[in-house]
């Protein structure tokens, strides 16, 4: 009997142990199942949130008015290829033409102009890409006369990098009120040296620059100052400059003082003007047109609702 009793107890303890192990395995399986099911659920939640946020973004205003992109000194199609590609990806607009201007003002084009409300882009290239701003202003005029006579375009925007911004501004004060060209609705200047590269303004604060204008004037700036009232009243301007935040107060090429100096003239003339300083280690002169913050500023200014 004693042996029978011990055998029964041993069997009972074995069954209890087996049941316990079974419960542990069941619990672990449930825990693993829960973790596995939460991961896709979490990812789906993030995806849904992202979709929701995307749907909250305002779509770009679509018009038939083209935006012309104008490179700077020694620039090529490379200058704006990246920005145009990104804008197309974001569906801000669509590149339709590339126009090349020869030194004599003759024009050739590549592309297919379609009068559609899709914010058409036109890239403007100067065959002599190291010429001066006066000739470039004349070439911009030639392009705009061509667009009006060939495609009956009545309104455009201009985006210019570096000297392209300076030449676009000079075009506006020299020819911007003529009726043989389309009206320029908006101008964006990116890293443009409006007071050239003169020295002597380093000690002036940006507040003083805004209130009084630059201490030392370049020949370029003096000409702009004399002709500022010729800047079209209806043309809005956005001026974007870079600050590498390295103590140079510049984008490595153009000083903040030179870039922002045009603000004093625009405000004195009571023109529609805004400016933005991009403070970033990646805000170098040749990279401003590759900067995400610049993309956002330009697209909002040109096509924001």
């Amino acid at each position: 009997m004693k042996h029978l009793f011990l055998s029964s107890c041993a069997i009972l303890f074995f069954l209890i142990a087996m049941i316990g192990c079974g419960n542990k395995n069941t619990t672990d399986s449930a825990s693993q199942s829960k973790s596995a099911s939460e991961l896709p659920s979490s990812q789906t939640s993030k995806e849904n949130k992202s979709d929701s946020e995307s749907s909250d973004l305002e779509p770009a205003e679509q018009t038939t008015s083209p935006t012309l992109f104008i490179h700077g000194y020694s620039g090529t199609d490379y200058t704006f290829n990246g920005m145009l590609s990104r804008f197309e990806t974001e569906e801000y607009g669509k590149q339709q033409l590339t126009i090349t201007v020869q030194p004599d003002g003759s024009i050739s084009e590549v592309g297919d102009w379609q009068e559609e409300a899709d914010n058409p882009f036109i890239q403007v290239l100067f065959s002599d890409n190291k010429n001066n701003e006066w000739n470039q202003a004349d070439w911009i005029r030639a392009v705009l006369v061509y667009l009006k006579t060939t495609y009956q375009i009545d309104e455009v925007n201009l985006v210019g990098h570096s000297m392209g911004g300076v030449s676009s501004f000079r075009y506006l004060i020299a020819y911007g009120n003529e009726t043989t060209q389309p009206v320029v609705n908006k101008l964006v200047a990116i890293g443009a040296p409006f007071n050239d590269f003169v020295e002597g303004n380093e000690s002036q604060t940006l507040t003083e620059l805004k209130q009084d204008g630059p201490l030392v004037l370049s020949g370029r700036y003096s000409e702009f100052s004399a002709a500022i009232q010729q800047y079209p009243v209806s043309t809005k301007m956005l001026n974007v400059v870079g600050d590498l935040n390295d103590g140079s107060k510049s984008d490595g090429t153009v000083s903040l003082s030179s870039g922002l100096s045009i603000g004093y003239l625009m405000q004195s003339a009571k023109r529609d003007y805004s400016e933005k300083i991009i403070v970033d280690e990646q805000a170098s002169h040749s990279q401003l047109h590759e900067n995400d913050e610049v993309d956002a500023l330009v697209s909002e200014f040109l096509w924001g609702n």
Side-chain angles (χ1 to χ4, degrees), residues 168-240:
S168 295
F169 191 89
R170 185 171 288 280
Y171 161 79
L172 284 166
I173 62 174
Y175 307 115
N177 291 301
E178 293 182 352
T179 58
T180 54
Q181 297 99 257
V183 171
V184 177
N185 289 328
K186 298 176 181 179
L187 166 65
V188 178
I190 304 173
F194 288 108
N195 197 20
D196 217 331
F197 298 98
V198 297
E199 298 180 354
N201 294 309
E202 294 79 14
S203 62
Q204 188 180 37
T205 68
L206 295 183
T207 299
E208 292 170 338
L209 173 67
K210 186 174 183 179
Q211 293 176 346
D212 306 320
L215 297 173
V216 180
L217 312 184
S218 65
R220 170 186 296 167
Y221 191 84
S222 296
E223 291 173 359
F224 287 164
S225 179
I228 190 60
Q229 293 298 333
Q230 301 305 312
Y231 184 95
V233 175
S234 62
T235 304
K236 299 178 180 180
M237 179 178 179
L238 170 64
N239 187 22
V240 182

Side-chain angles (χ1 to χ4, degrees), residues 55-294:
S55 64
D56 290 339
L57 296 176
E58 290 292 333
E61 179 184 4
Q62 301 293 311
T63 74
T64 58
S65 300
T67 298
L68 279 60
F69 293 81
I70 303 167
H71 64 71
Y73 186 83
S74 76
T76 64
D77 58 343
Y78 173 79
T79 301
F80 281 114
N81 273 349
M83 180 178 282
L84 293 176
S85 177
R86 293 189 300 274
F87 282 171
E88 285 195 347
T89 299
E90 295 296 328
E91 299 184 351
Y92 290 131
K94 180 180 180 181
Q95 183 169 356
Q96 293 194 9
L97 295 177
T98 297
I99 291 179
T100 301
V101 191
Q102 300 299 325
D104 63 0
S106 59
I107 288 172
S108 60
E109 66 171 64
V110 175
D112 183 21
W113 176 257
Q114 301 290 331
E115 191 174 350
E116 299 176 354
D118 57 2
N119 292 337
F121 305 151
I122 299 175
Q123 187 162 197
V124 177
L125 306 177
F126 301 131
S127 178
D128 181 358
N129 62 1
K130 296 183 180 180
N131 213 302
N132 60 63
E133 67 195 72
W134 297 274
N135 285 337
Q136 288 187 358
D138 287 341
W139 297 337
I140 292 171
R141 180 180 183 274
V143 170
L144 293 179
V145 169
Y146 173 82
L147 291 176
K148 185 159 187 175
T149 57
T150 305
Y151 298 115
Q152 293 74 55
I153 293 172
D154 294 322
E155 297 179 351
V156 299
N157 302 314
L158 302 179
V159 177
H161 174 253
S162 194
M163 189 183 235
V166 172
S167 300
S168 295
F169 191 89
R170 185 171 288 280
Y171 161 79
L172 284 166
I173 62 174
Y175 307 115
N177 291 301
E178 293 182 352
T179 58
T180 54
Q181 297 99 257
V183 171
V184 177
N185 289 328
K186 298 176 181 179
L187 166 65
V188 178
I190 304 173
F194 288 108
N195 197 20
D196 217 331
F197 298 98
V198 297
E199 298 180 354
N201 294 309
E202 294 79 14
S203 62
Q204 188 180 37
T205 68
L206 295 183
T207 299
E208 292 170 338
L209 173 67
K210 186 174 183 179
Q211 293 176 346
D212 306 320
L215 297 173
V216 180
L217 312 184
S218 65
R220 170 186 296 167
Y221 191 84
S222 296
E223 291 173 359
F224 287 164
S225 179
I228 190 60
Q229 293 298 333
Q230 301 305 312
Y231 184 95
V233 175
S234 62
T235 304
K236 299 178 180 180
M237 179 178 179
L238 170 64
N239 187 22
V240 182
V241 299
D243 181 358
L244 291 172
N245 199 27
D246 60 356
S248 68
K249 297 181 181 179
S250 75
D251 62 12
T253 301
V254 177
S255 69
L256 293 178
S257 175
S258 181
L260 297 175
S261 62
I262 204 65
Y264 173 75
L265 297 181
M266 291 291 284
Q267 291 169 2
S268 298
K270 295 180 170 57
R271 297 304 193 260
D272 193 325
Y273 170 85
S274 59
E275 62 188 35
K276 178 67 176 179
I277 302 174
I278 307 298
V279 182
D280 190 339
E281 294 178 354
Q282 303 301 318
S284 64
H285 187 68
S286 61
Q287 290 299 306
L288 279 172
H289 46 68
E290 306 302 326
N291 187 289
D292 290 342
E293 189 175 355
V294 175

